[in-house]
Amino acid sequence: SFGAFAVEPVSSTQAQDLNKIGVVSAEGATTLDGLEAKLAAKAEAAGATGYSITSANTNNKLSGTAVIYK
């Protein structure tokens, strides 16, 4: 399902070769896949080519953050 996005998750090793361009956050997801999809969509909207999820939290709904790269 993530193939629909132009951005791809990146490993910490891959991130070393990319430029960090910011951080995105999302909330209200009901699954980890849903949270990742929301973060990927926000990363794409910000012009990123890659992202790395840095946190995920739950309090009935999931929220999280991701560093974005280009």
Side-chain angles (χ1 to χ4, degrees), residues 5 24-27 37-48 68:
F5 296 111
V24 294
S25 63
E27 58 185 34
K38 285 178 176 243
L39 291 168
K42 286 193 171 190
E44 181 179 39
I68 58 176

Side-chain angles (χ1 to χ4, degrees), residues 27-66:
E27 58 185 34
T30 56
T31 65
L32 286 174
D33 285 345
L35 177 61
E36 184 169 8
K38 285 178 176 243
L39 291 168
K42 286 193 171 190
E44 181 179 39
T49 57
Y51 65 93
S52 177
I53 296 175
T54 55
S55 71
N57 303 296
T58 183
N59 188 8
N60 295 327
K61 297 281 185 178
L62 292 163
S63 63
T65 58

